Amino acid sequence: MDSAAVAQYYDTTNDWIPGWTEQAERWNGRLAMLGLVISIGMEAALGHSVFASTLAQWLGLQ
């Protein structure tokens, strides 16, 4: 079943449809942007970069 047939079957573009579909790509992008916003918010709230300090710790620089 191709993605057009799946989208027509579900009759919406926001359903959570598994597989390589346009809907899956939309949800992937939405969740990635949500993670980015949460990451930036944490850095602003904590006053330092969580990613940079974690990376430095993993590399043994701290």
Side-chain angles (χ1 to χ4, degrees):
M1 186 178 286
D2 63 348
S3 62
V6 171
Q8 185 177 10
Y9 174 77
Y10 281 93
D11 195 34
T12 182
T13 57
N14 285 322
D15 279 349
W16 188 282
I17 302 172
W20 298 103
T21 63
E22 184 179 340
Q23 290 80 5
E25 290 298 318
R26 285 185 185 178
W27 278 104
N28 183 29
R30 290 171 181 167
L31 294 175
M33 290 299 107
L34 180 63
L36 181 64
V37 168
I38 290 171
S39 172
I40 291 171
M42 283 183 61
E43 288 187 14
L46 296 176
H48 69 280
S49 174
V50 175
F51 177 73
S53 61
T54 303
L55 185 61
Q57 188 175 13
W58 285 346
L59 295 176
L61 301 175
Q62 285 184 339

